[in-house]
């Protein structure tokens, strides 16, 4: 089922970050070290669990679906703590302190084979695990990685990450800005990787010809936009699914799965290829949510079961 993409609830609300808190966390992380900083996560996660009722309800809604049993307070606490842990690890990942972490990788040679041709790849991820782990690992082997997002979000993300790691070299490409498509094409033609998180429906005014399809996800129908795939199709790029799953402690699993190669799709088969790739994306997302259920960081009513209640901003 498809229809024009509606304005997304999450896009109506600006995602806010308390920069002084992030700077405080950076100071604790840098001067006290990771073991001590991780102890601070417990009161932070508990406070968030008690103070943010809407996020708590969304967490329990999602966990009930993915765990296939009623989720309780302990499950939601573990969920929120996992999110806080990945935020803390951004400090170290952005500073290039990769030796503190263990990375398990899958299908990296498939991506490297494309990059070896001198061409870039589009990486479609989700609010699942840590994109920062993927970006840091890519830079660690000399590959350039950029994040695609809309201009307001790009400005906020840059301010947030600069508060965490002022010396970090960050690169974002702000969609919707004049020249953005040219910048993206140049980035990919020069062999860079461009990642975007594709598990939220795009704002209607910015999504162009994209459509929102309702697909089964964790046992219930959920909306997914094909806009990222249409962007890659327009640029004739190869697309991979990406995820940086957090497995507790200092362990991350970096996953890359092929979705579609638009370089080889004839024009008359483009719509079918986009539909098939979106279905594969959702299937991979569902599989990895079940593998690492506490890695899903969409703290709002993803299934839109309460249409009258706007979704809260992502933490």
């Amino acid at each position: 089922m498809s229809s024009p993409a509606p304005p997304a609830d999450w896009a109506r609300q600006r995602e806010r970050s308390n920069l002084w808190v992030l700077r405080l966390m950076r100071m604790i992380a840098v001067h006290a070290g990771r073991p001590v900083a991780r102890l601070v996560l417990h009161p932070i996660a508990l406070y968030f669990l008690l103070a943010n009722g809407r996020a708590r309800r969304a967490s329990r809604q999602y966990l009930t679906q993915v765990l296939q049993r009623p989720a309780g307070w302990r499950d939601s606490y573990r969920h929120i703590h996992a999110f806080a842990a990945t935020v803390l690890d951004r400090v170290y990942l952005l500073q290039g302190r990769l030796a503190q972490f263990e990375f398990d990788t899958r299908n990296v040679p498939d991506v490297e084979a494309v990059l070896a041709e001198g061409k870039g790849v589009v990486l479609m991820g989700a609010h699942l695990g840590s994109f920062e782990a993927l970006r840091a690992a890519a830079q660690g082997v000399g590959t350039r990685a950029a994040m695609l997002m809309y201009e307001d979000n790009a400005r906020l993300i840059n301010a947030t990450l600069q508060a965490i790691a002022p010396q970090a070299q960050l690169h974002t490409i702000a969609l919707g800005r004049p020249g953005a498509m040219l910048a993206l094409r140049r980035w990919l033609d020069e062999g860079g990787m461009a990642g975007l998180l594709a598990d939220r429906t795009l704002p209607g005014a910015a999504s162009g010809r994209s459509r929102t399809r309702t697909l089964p996800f964790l046992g219930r129908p959920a909306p997914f936009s094909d806009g990222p795939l249409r962007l890659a199709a327009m640029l004739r790029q190869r697309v991979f699914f990406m995820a940086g799953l957090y497995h507790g402690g200092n362990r991350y699993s970096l996953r890359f799965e092929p979705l579609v190669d638009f370089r080889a799709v004839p024009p008359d088969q483009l719509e079918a290829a986009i539909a098939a790739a979106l279905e594969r994306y959702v299937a991979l997302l569902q599989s990895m949510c079940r593998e690492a259920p506490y890695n899903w960081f969409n703290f709002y009513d993803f299934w839109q079961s309460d249409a009258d209640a706007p979704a809260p901003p992502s933490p």
Side-chain angles (χ1 to χ4, degrees), residues 29-269:
V30 171
H31 296 290
R34 190 170 180 269
V36 174
R38 280 179 61 85
L39 294 177
V40 181
L41 298 181
H42 292 288
I44 291 175
L46 182 60
Y47 172 80
F48 189 81
L49 179 68
L50 296 174
N52 196 323
R54 182 174 286 181
R56 182 175 66 247
R57 289 189 296 273
S59 170
R60 294 180 69 177
Q61 176 199 45
Y62 157 73
L63 290 173
T64 294
Q65 292 295 132
V66 72
L67 299 175
Q68 298 181 316
R69 61 169 174 81
W73 283 73
R74 182 176 297 179
D75 296 306
S76 289
Y77 174 81
R78 184 177 176 184
H79 188 194
I80 293 168
H81 185 273
F83 170 69
T86 62
V87 172
L88 173 66
D89 284 347
R90 286 182 184 179
V91 176
Y92 305 104
L93 292 167
L94 284 165
Q95 292 179 344
R97 296 161 69 172
L98 304 186
Q100 298 189 38
F101 302 95
E102 295 180 8
F103 296 105
D104 166 55
T105 60
R106 297 189 188 180
N107 293 337
V108 171
D110 292 348
V111 178
E112 290 177 336
V114 179
L115 298 174
E117 301 173 4
K119 298 296 184 181
V121 294
V122 173
L123 304 176
M124 278 180 58
H127 292 77
L128 178 75
S130 172
F131 175 79
E132 210 53 60
L134 291 163
R135 191 194 67 83
Q139 288 194 337
V141 297
T143 301
R144 300 184 308 148
M147 193 67 180
L148 305 180
M149 58 189 68
Y150 285 97
E151 186 170 4
D152 287 347
N153 285 350
R155 190 160 41 243
L156 175 59
I157 289 294
N158 278 322
T160 301
L161 296 183
Q162 286 297 320
I164 296 175
Q167 305 305 318
Q169 296 297 315
L170 307 172
H171 192 92
T172 59
I173 298 176
L175 299 176
R177 177 186 298 176
M181 293 302 296
L182 181 61
L184 174 57
R185 184 184 294 277
R186 184 183 303 116
W187 179 267
L188 293 168
D189 287 346
E190 293 175 355
M193 297 195 306
L196 72 166
L197 306 184
D199 55 334
R200 295 180 179 179
T201 53
L202 303 177
S207 58
R209 297 181 179 179
S210 69
R211 295 292 182 268
T212 296
R213 296 188 62 204
T214 301
L215 297 172
F217 178 63
L218 298 176
R220 293 176 59 186
F224 289 90
S225 172
D226 65 7
L229 288 165
R230 292 187 181 277
L231 175 64
M234 183 174 64
L235 297 174
R236 309 293 291 178
Q237 295 293 324
R238 186 161 181 178
V239 185
F240 283 81
F241 179 95
M242 65 171 181
L245 300 180
Y246 173 62
H247 288 299
N250 65 344
R251 296 176 293 118
Y252 284 87
S253 179
L254 311 183
R255 307 291 184 83
F256 298 91
E257 298 288 346
L259 284 179
V260 60
D261 185 354
F262 283 118
R263 300 173 301 178
V265 177
D268 61 339
Q269 299 178 23

